[in-house]
Amino acid sequence: MVFINNRYTVIYYKIVNYAKQNPTTVNAERHHIIPESFFKNRSRTGPSGWIDGNPDDSSNIVYLTQRNHAFCHKLLVKMTQGKMKSKMVLAVWRMMNGKHKKLFSSRDYQNYRILFTENIKKINTGKKRKPLTDSHKESISLSSKGVSKTEKTKNKIKIAW
């Protein structure tokens, strides 16, 4: 089973099955029932998944209204765990900060921002930052030249050093 067996999965499949039985063409958006990122052979860039098969198979595609599409992605976060959940949080975060922003409330934004930040922390734990090149240091230096700092900012810099 790809998804956790919970009430969100039931709701998700009700929406998907309804959309299959009652196709819409008005403001319809293409949606992978099992997310494309879960498949090994995917067309988009990014790390490959773990499921064999074709993510673009017609049995895995459904056309949803914008509202249902956004709602299904919110459900996908609640019906996955581990690596799958991380991928679904990223998908919602991208939708939220793209053309679907009007479909998410401020509470949604807050909740998914927290989840997204937690995911990034997990991914970046133990990774060291690459040292800056001399040209990068020079460009940073040039960009801050001529910018006057307030006394408060100067004190903060002194404390930090």
Side-chain angles (χ1 to χ4, degrees), residues 54-68:
N54 180 10
D56 295 324
D57 187 74
S58 61
S59 64
N60 192 41
I61 302 293
V62 67
Y63 288 88
L64 302 170
T65 64
Q66 288 179 340
R67 187 170 180 220
N68 281 346

Side-chain angles (χ1 to χ4, degrees), residues 3-105:
F3 303 119
I4 298 170
N5 189 11
N6 61 19
R7 67 185 184 160
Y8 304 111
T9 306
V10 172
I11 295 167
Y12 178 78
Y13 278 111
K14 281 183 180 178
I15 293 169
V16 165
N17 289 332
Y18 180 84
K20 278 185 171 183
Q21 292 168 1
N22 304 295
T24 182
T25 55
V26 179
N27 292 326
E29 296 185 350
R30 188 171 184 245
H31 176 72
H32 289 89
I33 299 166
I34 297 174
E36 183 184 17
S37 63
F38 293 7
F39 287 87
K40 291 178 185 174
N41 302 321
R42 55 188 281 201
S43 56
R44 294 185 201 178
T45 58
S48 65
W50 51 91
I51 299 173
D52 290 318
N54 180 10
D56 295 324
D57 187 74
S58 61
S59 64
N60 192 41
I61 302 293
V62 67
Y63 288 88
L64 302 170
T65 64
Q66 288 179 340
R67 187 170 180 220
N68 281 346
H69 192 203
F71 186 63
C72 279
H73 275 276
K74 287 166 65 174
L75 289 171
L76 281 164
V77 171
K78 295 179 179 185
M79 48 194 268
T80 53
Q81 58 189 2
K83 185 178 176 182
M84 293 183 286
K85 184 171 185 157
S86 294
K87 288 179 176 245
M88 294 302 94
V89 168
L90 179 60
V92 171
W93 185 250
R94 285 183 176 162
M95 286 181 92
M96 221 179 221
N97 290 290
K99 66 179 183 177
H100 292 87
K101 30 177 113 168
K102 65 184 179 287
L103 300 172
F104 294 93
S105 68

Side-chain angles (χ1 to χ4, degrees), residues 2 9 20 23-25 34 42 45 50 53 64 70 77 106-107 110 116 122 128 134 139 149-150 156:
V2 177
T9 306
K20 278 185 171 183
T24 182
T25 55
I34 297 174
R42 55 188 281 201
T45 58
W50 51 91
L64 302 170
V77 171
S106 58
R107 179 170 284 138
Q110 177 185 3
F116 178 73
K122 285 179 192 172
K128 292 189 177 184
D134 289 337
S139 68
K149 295 176 179 72
T150 64
K156 285 183 179 179

